[in-house]
Amino acid sequence: KMAEKQEEPSNAQNGEPDNAEEGEGKKKKVKREDLPPFEIVTGERLPAIFFKFQFRNVEYSSGRNKTFLCYVIETQGKESVTSRGYLEDEHAAAHAEIAFFNTILPKCESSLRYNVTWYVSSSPCVTCADRITETLRKNKNLRLTIMVGRLFMWEEPEMQAALKKMKSAGCKLRIMKPQDFEYVWQNFVEQEEGEEAKAFVPWEDIQENFQYYEEKLAEIL
């Protein structure tokens, strides 16, 4: 249901007439159209409920078929610049990983060095992994570290091969530790207005699940 709700704005983009009498709801939709099809709003934070569900490092991730990607880009040139934000792959045809390269970092200027860290709810699919490998091979001045909550389809030989290729292209793939989840919570998750920032509450099996995935990843790589 959540997904259906969030896809609504795209109807407005499909050239539906703008009915003024629909009032507020419609205005909001029209406003959404000014944004690229991917809602990349730097500084915007993801709702806590999404974080608690999507980032859980559970083994059986039913219903968690959406990728949330929080990113930090450090650009080193004459001056170092850091930017951060998050994107999710609900609002576009592309997965979040590919959208990152298409919209947030479409080109790496050869005179600059980019250190990019992603905090992603799950590891990339084969297609995204291949795109990551290709991008890193093309841009030697791009360093990418991907911190993942859980491994996606890691038992598939094709997936394992894709992850190995990513590693050989220089991508650092890491499983998120409890401290990393806390970092995302503090830096990328909405805090209730007017309240003091709530402390991150680790879920029961966060440490065991981290260890489980870390062992799997070590075996693959």
Side-chain angles (χ1 to χ4, degrees):
K1 283 216 175 108
M2 207 59 200
E4 284 164 25
K5 265 202 197 119
Q6 294 192 318
E7 277 164 16
E8 275 178 44
S10 62
N11 300 346
Q13 293 165 350
N14 297 341
E16 265 187 26
D18 184 359
N19 302 329
E21 66 265 28
E22 280 187 31
E24 269 314 293
K26 200 67 185 176
K27 273 200 199 110
K28 276 195 189 108
K29 285 184 182 178
V30 173
K31 228 181 175 156
R32 281 280 276 279
E33 281 185 47
D34 307 339
L35 296 167
F38 242 89
E39 291 194 88
I40 301 154
V41 186
T42 322
E44 188 174 280
R45 290 169 172 244
L46 60 101
I49 190 166
F50 285 177
F51 171 82
K52 286 175 181 164
F53 180 65
Q54 297 286 351
F55 270 91
R56 266 191 99 129
N57 57 356
V58 288
E59 189 180 343
Y60 299 104
S61 51
S62 66
R64 296 178 173 83
N65 52 359
K66 205 171 149 163
T67 306
F68 277 94
L69 188 157
C70 302
Y71 60 86
V72 182
I73 306 169
E74 290 172 61
T75 310
Q76 295 166 337
K78 286 196 179 99
E79 294 174 12
S80 288
V81 184
T82 301
S83 61
R84 64 176 67 210
Y86 91 92
L87 46 88
E88 55 185 274
D89 55 12
E90 187 88 87
H91 304 286
H95 283 176
E97 295 91 334
I98 287 179
F100 177 87
F101 292 125
N102 292 349
T103 40
I104 292 177
L105 200 60
K107 57 179 196 296
C108 293
E109 290 175 39
S110 53
S111 58
L112 301 173
R113 288 185 55 181
Y114 301 86
N115 285 332
V116 177
T117 306
W118 290 352
Y119 295 87
V120 197
S121 41
S122 71
S123 59
C125 68
V126 172
T127 311
C128 290
D130 289 347
R131 173 70 187 270
I132 291 164
T133 301
E134 184 194 324
T135 306
L136 287 171
R137 287 195 175 138
K138 267 203 289 229
N139 300 285
K140 297 295 179 199
N141 54 333
L142 170 64
R143 300 263 165 90
L144 178 61
T145 302
I146 306 180
M147 312 292 293
V148 302
R150 48 184 189 275
L151 293 173
F152 173 70
M153 293 181 71
W154 55 268
E155 289 153 322
E156 303 288 327
E158 200 189 356
M159 190 70 253
Q160 296 186 359
L163 294 178
K164 286 186 179 124
K165 272 197 277 182
M166 269 171 49
K167 185 188 176 184
S168 71
C171 179
K172 292 193 176 95
L173 191 60
R174 305 274 184 272
I175 304 293
M176 285 170 70
K177 301 182 165 90
Q179 300 89 296
D180 298 315
F181 287 106
E182 185 167 14
Y183 174 82
V184 171
W185 175 257
Q186 287 169 349
N187 291 281
F188 293 100
V189 176
E190 279 171 7
Q191 303 294 343
E192 294 293 314
E193 277 181 48
E195 286 187 28
E196 280 186 47
K198 286 199 175 88
F200 172 64
V201 182
W203 39 92
E204 203 182 326
D205 41 10
I206 189 168
Q207 181 66 27
E208 288 115 82
N209 291 349
F210 156 66
Q211 284 163 333
Y212 169 83
Y213 280 125
E214 193 168 53
E215 278 166 29
K216 296 292 168 229
L217 184 61
E219 285 166 23
I220 294 166
L221 299 180

